[in-house]
Amino acid sequence: MDYIYESIPLDAKLKINIFLHRAKYVHDHWHDSLELFFVLKGNVDMYIQRKKYTLQEEDMILINSNEIHSIIADEDNLLLVLQIPLSFLSDHFGQAESLSFHLKSFMYAPDEQERFNEVRMLLAEMMWVYNKESYGYELKMKSLLFQLLYLLIWKFKEGESEDSARISPKHMERMLRIANYIQVNYMKPLNLNELAAHEYLSVPYLSNFFQKHMGQSFTKYVNQIRLNHAVKDIAYTDYSITQIAMDHGFPNLKSFHKAFKDVYNITPNQYRKELQDEHHMERKVTTGQKISSYLEFDRDNAYGALFKYLPDRNRERVDRTSDKGVVTREIQLQLTGSPKLMKPYWQKICTIGKAKEGLYYEVQQHLQSIQSMMKFEYIRFHGIFDDEMMVYREDQDGNPLYNFFYVDQLFDFLQGLGLKPYIEFGFMPADLASGDQSIFYKKSNVSKPKDLDKWSELIRQFMMHCEHRYGLETLRTWKYTCWNEPDLYLFWTDTVEDYYAMYEATYRTVKSICPDLKFGGPEIISDTIYQEDWLTSYWDFCRSYDCMPDFFSFHSYPTGVQGESGEIKWLQASRANDYLAETLAVLKKKLRQEKIKMPEIYITEWNATGDHRDLTNDTVFKAAYIAKNIVENMEDITGLAYWTLTDHLEELPPPRETFHGGLGLITNNGIKKPGYYVYQMLSQLGDQLRDRGKGYCLTQRGDCYQLLMYHYCHYDKLYEMQDSLGIDSLNRYHVFQDMNDLEMSFTCEGIPAGTYELRSIHVNREHGSAYDTWLAMGAPAELSRGMVDYLNQKAVPLQEYKIIELDGTTATFKYTLSPHEVRFYELRPLRHF
């Protein structure tokens, strides 16, 4: 027997499985579920009961339960797959076990496709609803599922098959009972003796039965079930590999690694990294045959072949918000008791791209605009030693020559704005570099120093020059770190030991100027915090060589990064709704385990993505994203640096389009984005924290109250998995989950009676969103200076002022927010003179 029983992991809420699948080779197998395939792209060969069917784009085929089938495909393809367990059908239809369906659309002419189009439309709608996960989507999904099942029974039912290649009913009940037992208990220790006792069979008989009818040994089958569940956690969560192994029934990490490598031929950590790279999505088993995971997704707009089958397919835009509803939330605000001191950690540090960019007129204008709005304390950037800054070169004899002219110009300008440098020592001057490895469009050398003593002397000369120009007391207020993301091959191609040596040398040189100077690190990417080894090794080194950082610093990107030959590639969207909070929790747990007391934690880069061309960056989504993450992490961070203040970055070639998906709060030509105005709101919060919760924050300053509220809508499932979903310059809002309005009703007691001014600021698609205003203008490709000025004048937040009377009893305030909207309210008593 060369086929196996497949146990299908189902959606816990819906009890079905619907997904996109990129098939190459799927071995002969069977299961007790109906399986409906809809080819969205390419061609596949489907073998059912040993009979071959070739499916092309938009073809459909239904596999009945217990039919042996396999898939072979040589070209790129994409399938929409719906799996419905027979048990689900049995719960709602008494004759389910005797049902058999004949659905093979490719066997019928174009003028006979009407009933098949009904199925295609239902599948398209189901995939859309499932992908969005809007409030109550489970009910909508079940409604569509019942419509589909009724259609199958009414229009595609056939007589019961007598095909001898199906699994014999004689053994079906036992096989399904065994499979179900393992599926329910796979997280626990399982052995053949226990299962034999459960089935009242001898161990040898059960072992033979298992091999004969399940297609593999008991141990291999159990491990496969565990792997099926574990691989989803590897791909879709940030849990550690050890935790995943334990959660899914493996007795230890070693057995998990062995089982994983036997199937995927790589380690779980390698699998997780390679999942982020589309060029490594195909796995090879030891036989040399290619296998394909059901976790794989198309990268070229998976919904493209479905759009025309959606109920509103005739619309020009793909934003489907006509059926949105309202979610209501009632909140009791706490105004009694002692408030907490408000620490505006979001004002602690800001960022621009590179040091040399800080000397450009446009970037300086953007910095002046932001500093006039709210006072950041520190500013961080890359490349203080880039060749563009002309800090270091060597003469023909190899003697160092130092020049700090551009450094002085930059630091003088920053001081004039009240900004202190957060100095990241890097990158490597070409004359000091050991190699020519570089990164970014405007090249930065990322090699180790060819001479560590010369590197240390460069640091010493830099520090002595700054001490002479600005004074030691000023230097004590600055921050210092060594290198950017040394945990990523993109930024550090040498060994970790080489990094440690450079880090220690830099640390000691800075501390030799003054032991009080604050040196931090290691400026790693957040994914590394979830891994087993890098941080442990780093802290062990710092302990051993007495160079523990004074503060911890890292970069929070929920999207992952990889690249080849110096090219950066960002995944498109956030893997986790609460990624920042979860990462901080993991970090703090590791600090406790290592018995490290870290007084300060700086997140020196933070965004929903690091992609300079993610088109959602320009939308009002970023307003709610900023508000949500800042409000929900108020007690855990010393400084949080949004990456970046401006779109004017030279890591990539300059874009032609203004709204190109840049990372900044201000476009490269000076147009303020929604995130800019949210920071303006944040700057107006009080100095005492009264209350905060999901979607709001209440502060107080004197006898005035400030309320910040937001309606955050996360990316939908497919955009999280890097599918572009038809996003383009004019269509950017259909990649989010819940598009319902949010009604927030606040009840508060304890506000003294009197007359108050209620001031409000609103940022939404109609107000404060330059991108949406640009759309309303007709989306001109080129923007003149006058158009830029118009957008800055027109796309401003809505401001309203009301005079209200409060009687000193209970006060209720009710507001309805559109998706991504952020509002700020201030209640100020009016004094009569």
Side-chain angles (χ1 to χ4, degrees):
M1 178 179 177
D2 58 354
Y3 51 85
I4 64 172
Y5 172 81
E6 179 187 14
S7 181
I8 296 174
L10 303 174
D11 184 281
K13 294 179 180 179
L14 302 173
K15 307 305 181 186
I16 61 168
N17 202 17
I18 184 169
F19 54 90
L20 296 179
H21 177 35
R22 199 173 169 188
K24 291 297 182 183
Y25 178 84
V26 179
H27 196 273
D28 270 341
H29 66 288
W30 63 276
H31 42 66
D32 60 332
S33 294
L34 302 177
E35 190 164 25
L36 182 55
F37 290 89
F38 180 9
V39 180
L40 303 181
K41 178 182 178 183
N43 300 329
V44 298
D45 289 334
M46 190 85 64
Y47 291 82
I48 305 174
Q49 310 294 81
R50 313 296 188 187
K51 186 174 181 180
K52 177 181 177 181
Y53 301 94
T54 297
L55 282 68
Q56 299 177 346
E57 191 166 308
E58 297 198 23
D59 284 344
M60 291 191 301
I61 193 168
L62 187 146
I63 312 291
N64 286 291
S65 61
N66 310 324
E67 284 185 330
I68 301 165
H69 59 286
S70 62
I71 303 175
I72 298 177
D74 293 328
E75 64 179 63
D76 190 23
N77 63 78
L78 184 68
L79 310 176
L80 190 160
V81 186
L82 173 65
Q83 294 170 325
I84 308 171
L86 200 59
S87 58
F88 182 94
L89 193 54
S90 298
D91 289 342
H92 303 284
F93 188 74
Q95 307 170 46
E97 294 187 4
S98 64
L99 281 176
S100 183
F101 300 100
H102 183 275
L103 192 158
K104 297 178 176 72
S105 66
F106 47 88
M107 297 177 67
Y108 296 84
D111 60 355
E112 298 177 287
Q113 292 293 312
E114 183 178 353
R115 62 189 177 122
F116 295 101
N117 284 338
E118 292 182 68
V119 177
R120 293 182 180 106
M121 290 174 66
L122 284 169
L123 287 174
E125 184 75 359
M126 288 177 70
M127 194 64 196
W128 184 275
V129 172
Y130 182 70
N131 180 52
K132 291 301 167 188
E133 285 190 324
S134 297
Y135 186 74
Y137 82 100
E138 302 97 325
L139 296 175
K140 181 69 172 178
M141 280 292 294
K142 290 181 179 179
S143 170
L144 293 168
L145 180 59
F146 285 130
Q147 290 182 58
L148 176 62
L149 289 173
Y150 178 77
L151 183 61
L152 292 178
I153 292 171
W154 188 247
K155 296 189 178 183
F156 296 94
K157 182 178 179 296
E158 69 175 1
E160 188 173 356
S161 174
E162 300 294 335
D163 195 323
S164 60
R166 287 204 188 190
I167 302 301
S168 169
K170 176 180 177 182
H171 301 296
M172 183 65 62
E173 184 177 348
R174 175 177 289 163
M175 293 168 73
L176 294 180
R177 188 168 61 245
I178 290 173
N180 183 65
Y181 180 83
I182 294 172
Q183 186 67 249
V184 171
N185 296 284
Y186 78 93
M187 293 178 288
K188 305 174 184 176
L190 290 173
N191 57 68
L192 203 56
N193 291 337
E194 177 185 339
L195 185 57
H198 186 266
E199 287 294 316
Y200 302 101
L201 300 171
S202 70
V203 173
Y205 179 87
L206 180 58
S207 179
N208 291 333
F209 178 90
F210 214 99
Q211 186 67 51
K212 181 178 179 181
H213 296 288
M214 306 298 272
Q216 54 188 312
S217 70
F218 169 79
T219 300
K220 190 173 181 180
Y221 182 80
V222 171
N223 280 342
Q224 186 61 55
I225 297 300
R226 288 169 173 165
L227 286 175
N228 286 345
H229 290 274
V231 77
K232 282 196 172 184
D233 276 357
I234 291 173
Y236 297 147
T237 75
D238 300 303
Y239 302 150
S240 70
I241 299 301
T242 300
Q243 181 181 345
I244 291 172
M246 299 300 104
D247 286 349
H248 295 294
F250 290 94
N252 51 57
L253 189 60
K254 183 178 180 180
S255 66
F256 180 48
H257 271 261
K258 183 180 185 306
F260 200 95
K261 287 196 73 173
D262 285 346
V263 174
Y264 296 99
N265 205 30
I266 56 174
T267 67
N269 272 318
Q270 289 171 325
Y271 183 90
R272 173 173 270 172
K273 290 178 181 178
E274 291 186 3
L275 269 179
Q276 299 171 355
D277 189 341
E278 63 181 345
H279 302 296
H280 296 280
M281 291 300 289
E282 294 173 359
R283 310 295 179 186
K284 289 187 178 181
V285 293
T286 54
T287 62
Q289 293 173 314
K290 292 183 179 179
I291 63 173
S292 194
S293 166
Y294 277 2
L295 302 177
E296 297 173 5
F297 284 80
D298 179 71
R299 303 301 193 266
D300 304 319
N301 183 14
Y303 267 148
L306 291 180
F307 279 150
K308 66 179 180 179
Y309 291 108
L310 290 171
D312 56 354
R313 58 190 179 278
N314 293 322
R315 289 193 186 187
E316 292 183 4
R317 295 173 64 87
V318 293
D319 302 49
R320 302 179 68 253
T321 57
S322 61
D323 59 344
K324 72 179 181 180
V326 177
V327 176
T328 303
R329 189 178 302 157
E330 293 187 359
I331 300 163
Q332 181 73 43
L333 291 177
Q334 300 298 320
L335 299 178
T336 58
S338 299
K340 294 181 180 179
L341 180 64
M342 187 79 158
K343 297 180 180 180
Y345 70 96
W346 56 90
Q347 293 181 214
K348 193 76 173 177
I349 183 169
C350 64
T351 64
I352 57 173
K354 288 190 177 186
K356 190 60 179 290
E357 292 163 17
L359 295 175
Y360 296 166
Y361 172 79
E362 294 84 357
V363 175
Q364 292 189 350
Q365 290 289 104
H366 300 170
L367 282 170
Q368 288 171 341
S369 172
I370 286 176
Q371 279 297 94
S372 68
M373 173 187 71
M374 61 185 297
K375 297 294 184 183
F376 285 103
E377 184 175 356
Y378 290 95
I379 184 168
R380 176 182 170 272
F381 39 80
H382 301 313
I384 194 69
F385 292 158
D386 271 357
D387 283 340
E388 279 195 314
M389 293 295 288
M390 301 185 185
V391 169
Y392 180 95
R393 61 186 178 91
E394 295 181 359
D395 64 19
Q396 59 185 5
D397 297 321
N399 299 311
L401 301 172
Y402 308 101
N403 189 321
F404 300 107
F405 175 74
Y406 284 134
V407 171
D408 294 343
Q409 281 193 317
L410 176 62
F411 286 5
D412 288 353
F413 170 73
L414 296 178
Q415 274 203 327
L417 295 181
L419 285 166
K420 305 171 187 174
Y422 182 109
I423 298 171
E424 170 199 291
F425 290 113
F427 294 103
M428 197 59 61
D431 285 0
L432 187 51
S434 60
D436 58 1
Q437 297 92 340
S438 64
I439 196 169
F440 303 139
Y441 178 72
K442 289 289 273 304
K443 302 296 185 184
S444 290
N445 190 293
V446 291
S447 307
K448 69 179 180 180
K450 65 183 181 183
D451 186 323
L452 198 56
D453 289 337
K454 286 186 174 181
W455 169 263
S456 298
E457 183 61 19
L458 169 59
I459 303 298
R460 192 177 74 84
Q461 291 289 338
F462 177 90
M463 295 298 297
M464 290 175 60
H465 173 83
C466 290
E467 180 185 6
H468 176 75
R469 187 174 182 88
Y470 302 106
L472 184 58
E473 287 307 309
T474 296
L475 266 62
R476 282 195 174 101
T477 67
W478 295 1
K479 304 287 184 184
Y480 310 88
T481 61
C482 178
W483 215 251
N484 174 73
E485 295 173 2
D487 52 324
L488 286 184
Y489 184 78
L490 288 168
F491 289 98
W492 187 258
T493 59
D494 297 292
T495 68
V496 69
E497 290 77 17
D498 289 328
Y499 165 69
Y500 290 160
M502 187 177 71
Y503 169 87
E504 182 198 5
T506 308
Y507 178 96
R508 302 227 180 281
T509 304
V510 170
K511 293 289 187 177
S512 70
I513 302 298
C514 177
D516 295 339
L517 299 182
K518 299 303 181 184
F519 192 96
E523 299 288 330
I524 56 174
I525 199 79
S526 48
D527 272 0
T528 300
I529 293 173
Y530 291 88
Q531 297 172 14
E532 300 294 320
D533 302 327
W534 203 97
L535 270 180
T536 300
S537 173
Y538 168 74
W539 283 324
D540 286 346
F541 175 85
C542 291
R543 287 193 191 95
S544 299
Y545 289 85
D546 192 26
C547 53
M548 190 66 74
D550 297 312
F551 56 89
F552 189 86
S553 57
F554 73 96
H555 306 160
S556 178
Y557 292 111
T559 47
V561 60
Q562 54 312 122
E564 298 173 3
S565 303
E567 178 187 0
I568 294 181
K569 295 181 180 179
W570 290 94
L571 306 187
Q572 281 180 328
S574 172
R575 287 194 304 261
N577 197 330
D578 300 309
Y579 180 82
L580 178 58
E582 292 169 4
T583 303
L584 284 166
V586 171
L587 172 61
K588 291 193 171 186
K589 180 180 178 180
K590 289 195 172 187
L591 288 170
R592 289 193 299 269
Q593 291 172 343
E594 295 284 341
K595 296 182 171 56
I596 295 174
K597 293 183 179 180
M598 192 61 61
E600 295 182 332
I601 294 175
Y602 284 87
I603 301 175
T604 49
E605 292 183 24
W606 157 70
N607 208 312
T609 177
D611 184 0
H612 302 239
R613 300 296 184 266
D614 187 323
L615 295 180
T616 65
N617 285 334
D618 298 322
T619 70
V620 76
F621 156 74
K622 274 301 175 69
Y625 177 84
I626 291 169
K628 167 188 164 62
N629 281 278
I630 286 178
V631 166
E632 293 180 4
N633 296 281
M634 282 186 169
E635 298 174 356
D636 298 314
I637 310 171
T638 309
L640 180 67
Y642 186 80
W643 184 262
T644 63
L645 294 187
T646 172
D647 282 352
H648 197 114
L649 296 169
E650 296 184 341
E651 295 181 5
L652 296 177
R656 293 186 60 186
E657 304 83 5
T658 294
F659 297 105
H660 60 272
L663 294 167
L665 298 175
I666 302 177
T667 67
N668 51 14
N669 55 1
I671 299 172
K672 300 175 181 66
K673 298 188 192 180
Y676 176 97
Y677 294 113
V678 170
Y679 269 99
Q680 190 175 53
M681 293 179 184
L682 288 163
S683 70
Q684 299 179 56
L685 289 174
D687 54 7
Q688 300 176 78
L689 177 61
R690 275 292 179 184
D691 196 2
R692 69 185 174 103
K694 185 176 181 180
Y696 72 94
C697 173
L698 177 68
T699 66
Q700 183 176 357
R701 186 186 302 276
D703 54 4
C704 300
Y705 294 95
Q706 301 81 27
L707 178 65
L708 181 75
M709 65 181 75
Y710 53 89
H711 181 12
Y712 177 76
C713 300
H714 195 55
Y715 299 112
D716 64 22
K717 288 182 177 180
L718 285 183
Y719 200 71
E720 281 188 330
M721 296 310 301
Q722 303 90 59
D723 194 291
S724 61
L725 292 176
I727 191 170
D728 58 34
S729 181
L730 306 181
N731 297 275
R732 306 189 186 187
Y733 284 102
H734 62 283
V735 297
F736 300 100
Q737 282 180 358
D738 186 357
M739 298 305 288
N740 291 326
D741 287 343
L742 173 64
E743 182 183 284
M744 303 182 79
S745 180
F746 296 94
T747 302
C748 47
E749 298 179 358
I751 301 178
T755 303
Y756 290 81
E757 177 188 76
L758 182 62
R759 177 174 65 95
S760 64
I761 305 173
H762 308 234
V763 171
N764 49 41
R765 292 185 66 174
E766 289 73 37
H767 306 284
S769 175
Y771 164 73
D772 289 286
T773 304
W774 172 76
L775 286 180
M777 285 174 63
E782 303 289 339
L783 293 180
S784 66
R785 185 69 254 173
M787 289 177 176
V788 169
D789 292 341
Y790 171 80
L791 284 169
N792 269 329
Q793 294 169 17
K794 180 71 174 178
V796 296
L798 173 68
Q799 297 195 46
E800 294 182 337
Y801 296 82
K802 296 180 180 178
I803 304 300
I804 63 173
E805 297 288 340
L806 298 181
D807 59 10
T809 60
T810 300
T812 301
F813 304 91
K814 184 181 295 184
Y815 307 107
T816 299
L817 280 66
S818 59
H820 316 301
E821 184 170 5
V822 182
R823 293 190 189 183
F824 174 86
Y825 286 86
E826 182 170 52
L827 189 66
R828 179 185 299 273
L830 288 180
R831 295 173 177 83
H832 299 286
F833 299 96

